[in-house]
Amino acid sequence: MNKLLIATNNHGKVIELQDLLKVTGIQLLTPVDIHLSLEVDEDGSTYAENASKKALTFAQASGLISLADDSGLEVDALDGAPGLYSARYAPLRLPPFSGKMKEQEGGDADRRAFLLQNLKYKPRPWKAHFHATIAIATPSGEVEFAEGNCFGEIIPAERGSGGFGYDPIFFLPELNKTMAELDMEQKNRLSHRALAVMNARPVLNKMFGL
Ligand code: IMP
């Protein structure tokens, strides 16, 4: 049977990609399913570079066709930041009361707070979009790409508890809801990742001979 490895350690992305890809009929595997633990340094200067690095690293380590997503939030008033650095967009901080001196990266909530702090004095609406680039790589080194965008705006107070990352402050004016107020089925009809997966379908069909 055809097998596709979802090449990410981000739980939120795994859940969404599993749902988005189930219609293909391809058997989906995660790194956890095959006991593969890999950290890929996302040091590229484009989404495509990072996505292909992740997909190729996982494909070569597993021997399976692998699909990776590199995504980010681009805010117009911040000239496109945090963009490629969305997953690391927060000041490093010392963990409280731990006695450790090593600085730690913040979590999703720290990143949302940091973004709102940087937007505080900028006039609203804070127009923004999510971008996703998907790379699909074979173990022999072939890579194909697909992209998707989702447009909305950032709001100053969090709403909703679904999704992950910046979803609670990413507002979709047409729906009068944040991305975190949508259930997964709704998010997966309009998100940047959903559009990128839709655009990747011909590549999957070709690679898996569907
Ligand atoms: P990366 O693709 O691993 O570099 O991570 C992308 C980062 O962008 C995530 O860690 C989130 O902070 C943000 N992001 C990407 N897609 C979404 C989404 O669907 N909702 C909210 N945040 C997202």
Side-chain angles (χ1 to χ4, degrees):
M1 185 171 179
N2 293 326
K3 288 181 183 158
L4 175 69
L5 179 65
I6 299 180
T8 178
N9 301 315
N10 178 322
H11 184 65
K13 285 189 190 178
V14 168
I15 302 288
E16 288 181 15
L17 286 168
Q18 280 175 324
D19 186 64
L20 286 166
L21 289 161
K22 67 182 180 211
V23 288
T24 61
I26 299 167
Q27 186 186 346
L28 305 173
L29 294 169
T30 67
V32 175
D33 293 333
I34 58 167
H35 309 290
L36 183 62
S37 171
L38 282 178
E39 282 300 333
V40 181
D41 201 8
E42 298 186 25
D43 55 2
S45 55
T46 61
Y47 294 103
E49 268 182 59
N50 284 339
S52 70
K53 190 175 176 192
K54 287 187 262 190
L56 276 169
T57 306
F58 277 86
Q60 278 156 4
S62 66
L64 296 167
I65 295 179
S66 300
L67 180 151
D69 142 298
D70 198 58
S71 45
L73 173 69
E74 308 202 345
V75 182
D76 294 3
L78 300 176
D79 299 322
L84 215 54
Y85 305 100
S86 296
R88 290 159 277 165
Y89 189 63
L92 294 175
R93 57 181 163 80
L94 286 175
F97 314 121
S98 70
K100 290 185 200 144
M101 290 310 289
K102 195 173 176 303
E103 289 178 320
Q104 286 187 333
E105 262 184 41
D108 280 346
D110 298 290
R111 287 187 269 279
R112 293 193 295 269
F114 188 55
L115 179 69
L116 292 177
Q117 188 187 316
N118 291 339
L119 279 171
K120 204 154 98 191
Y121 300 110
K122 308 276 186 191
R124 287 183 68 189
W126 297 324
K127 298 263 183 216
H129 68 275
F130 278 119
H131 174 86
T133 295
I134 279 180
I136 303 168
T138 64
S140 61
E142 187 191 342
V143 193
E144 302 263 8
F145 298 95
E147 296 186 327
N149 291 300
C150 177
F151 293 84
E153 66 185 76
I154 302 301
I155 52 166
E158 302 199 355
R159 283 171 47 175
S161 56
F164 67 98
Y166 299 92
D167 282 347
I169 54 171
F170 187 85
F171 183 70
L172 297 151
E174 324 80 75
L175 301 180
N176 193 27
K177 282 184 174 166
T178 66
M179 203 79 123
E181 290 178 300
L182 304 181
D183 60 32
M184 192 171 62
E185 194 195 318
Q186 291 170 311
K187 180 174 176 185
N188 276 352
R189 259 187 262 130
L190 54 82
S191 80
H192 48 307
R193 197 165 297 102
L195 293 173
V197 168
M198 196 181 81
N199 292 331
R201 287 292 295 278
V203 176
L204 289 170
N205 291 346
K206 186 181 78 178
M207 283 190 180
F208 288 93
L210 300 174

